[in-house]
Amino acid sequence: MRGWGDWASVAWFLVPALVLFLVFVLAPIVVAVYTGFFKWGGIGPMDDFVGFANYTRLFDDEVFLGDLGRGLYLIVLSITIQLPFALFTAVLLNQRLRGRAVYRMLFFAPYILSEVVTAVLFTMIFLPGAGMADHLAGLLGLEGLQGKWLADPSTVMPTLFVVMIWKYFGFHMMLFLAGLQSIPSEILEAAAIDGAGAWRRFRHVTLPLLGPTIRISVFLSIIGSIQLFDLVWVMTAGGPNHSSETMAIAMFQFGFKRYQVGYAGAISVVLFMISLVFSLFYQRYVLRRDLSGAVTSGGGR
């Protein structure tokens, strides 16, 4: 009876979570995969089976291939600019500075705002003719940028990336700051006694010990760039002329604007597979050492 009671307790806590997972995660995935094999507008029965035609169309579509390229563009900029900037800020705010708690709050505050609020705010800032960005560009002698921020294909992606940095770098900064504060001060003091300067202590002590945090931050940054939607949708809706479109925006456009739900389902499957394969690969080959001691077998062995 005691064994049955233990199993009942496990089921009591496990079944609700499994039901939610099945309904809101697995079921939509299955529906998307199934829908991707049909030419369907979202209304009526799915009776026009086209097999893999949606997928072949997908990889013959120059716009979708451009969406993949723009996702890669955001990933590269996030890793090479946003994360180093967040790390530099975290190292700076880890020092004994007057008012550092206020600076931490100010840098982290943009992450608390919703993506929609952030997008509306920066849409007003980059408003042609009347926005703060145009006035600032005029003061700095950059009149060539006025009115082009979100309206020109050559400037829209860099402009969106600036907004992404403002919105998300505070989150990564807090991750790095937590990692820095978990490093025992005795190790840094021992390195200083051995004659290591500030740069050598950072390069050979702080940075290796901060490795797990950096790897997690890189993972979150890449996944966020792949799945980026709401910030771009509110600011540009993928324009002008698809120059800021992402895979998630393409999926929304075809599914809810053009009523090509089968094609949108194929896009969602490709987006899911890219995220899944990357996550498994990253966990297997990058996070393997970090996770090796996180799970133990029964009895603590």
Side-chain angles (χ1 to χ4, degrees):
M1 292 296 296
R2 182 177 180 180
W4 282 107
D6 293 339
W7 279 108
S9 299
V10 171
W12 176 259
F13 289 102
L14 188 61
V15 169
L18 286 177
V19 170
L20 291 175
F21 183 77
L22 290 172
V23 172
F24 293 105
V25 178
L26 287 184
I29 293 174
V30 172
V31 171
V33 172
Y34 181 74
T35 304
F37 292 112
F38 290 84
K39 183 180 179 181
W40 184 51
I43 300 175
M46 284 187 286
D47 52 9
D48 189 359
F49 181 79
V50 294
F52 289 96
N54 285 324
Y55 294 94
T56 56
R57 172 190 170 189
L58 198 63
F59 290 102
D60 289 334
D61 188 350
E62 293 183 359
V63 175
F64 180 76
L65 295 178
D67 297 342
L68 292 174
R70 282 181 283 274
L72 182 61
Y73 173 85
L74 293 176
I75 289 172
V76 171
L77 290 185
S78 296
I79 295 175
T80 58
I81 298 178
Q82 178 177 253
L83 298 189
F85 179 54
L87 178 58
F88 171 79
T89 308
V91 171
L92 185 63
L93 294 182
N94 196 42
Q95 310 300 316
R96 294 182 178 179
L97 299 175
R98 174 178 291 183
R100 63 179 180 177
V102 176
Y103 292 122
R104 292 174 183 176
M105 180 188 67
L106 290 176
F107 288 140
F108 184 71
Y111 181 72
I112 301 175
L113 296 176
S114 71
E115 280 76 4
V116 173
V117 171
T118 301
V120 171
L121 172 64
F122 276 92
T123 300
M124 297 172 62
I125 290 175
F126 293 115
L127 191 67
M132 184 187 302
D134 276 1
H135 291 297
L136 184 60
L139 293 175
L140 296 176
L142 301 175
E143 290 82 3
L145 289 176
Q146 291 180 328
K148 291 185 177 181
W149 305 102
L150 299 174
D152 192 286
S154 63
T155 58
V156 63
M157 288 302 294
T159 302
L160 288 173
F161 181 70
V162 169
V163 180
M164 286 178 58
I165 290 181
W166 185 87
K167 176 74 173 72
Y168 297 112
F169 103 95
F171 170 75
H172 296 283
M173 180 203 72
M174 293 302 290
L175 286 181
F176 293 142
L177 195 57
L180 289 170
Q181 293 178 350
S182 67
I183 298 175
S185 59
E186 294 81 1
I187 299 178
L188 297 174
E189 292 172 359
I193 293 173
D194 289 339
W199 168 249
R200 292 186 64 186
R201 290 198 303 271
F202 176 78
R203 172 65 181 85
H204 298 287
V205 179
T206 302
L207 206 57
L209 293 177
L210 202 61
T213 305
I214 293 175
R215 288 187 281 272
I216 289 295
S217 187
V218 169
F219 174 78
L220 295 176
S221 183
I222 293 176
I223 290 295
S225 298
I226 292 174
Q227 301 178 351
L228 185 65
F229 171 74
D230 35 16
L231 193 69
V232 181
W233 174 255
V234 176
M235 292 187 69
T236 66
N241 194 26
H242 304 287
S243 57
S244 64
E245 187 176 277
T246 63
M247 287 185 287
I249 287 180
M251 177 182 66
F252 181 84
Q253 288 275 21
F254 282 103
F256 296 96
K257 295 291 184 178
R258 305 181 187 179
Y259 300 103
Q260 299 180 29
V261 181
Y263 188 60
I267 296 176
S268 68
V269 171
V270 172
L271 178 59
F272 169 74
M273 291 304 299
I274 291 174
S275 302
L276 178 64
V277 170
F278 166 75
S279 300
L280 294 177
F281 176 86
Y282 198 86
Q283 179 177 337
R284 176 66 177 82
Y285 294 101
V286 180
L287 298 179
R288 180 179 182 182
R289 185 177 62 180
D290 301 333
L291 299 176
S292 60
V295 179
T296 58
S297 58
R301 293 176 293 176

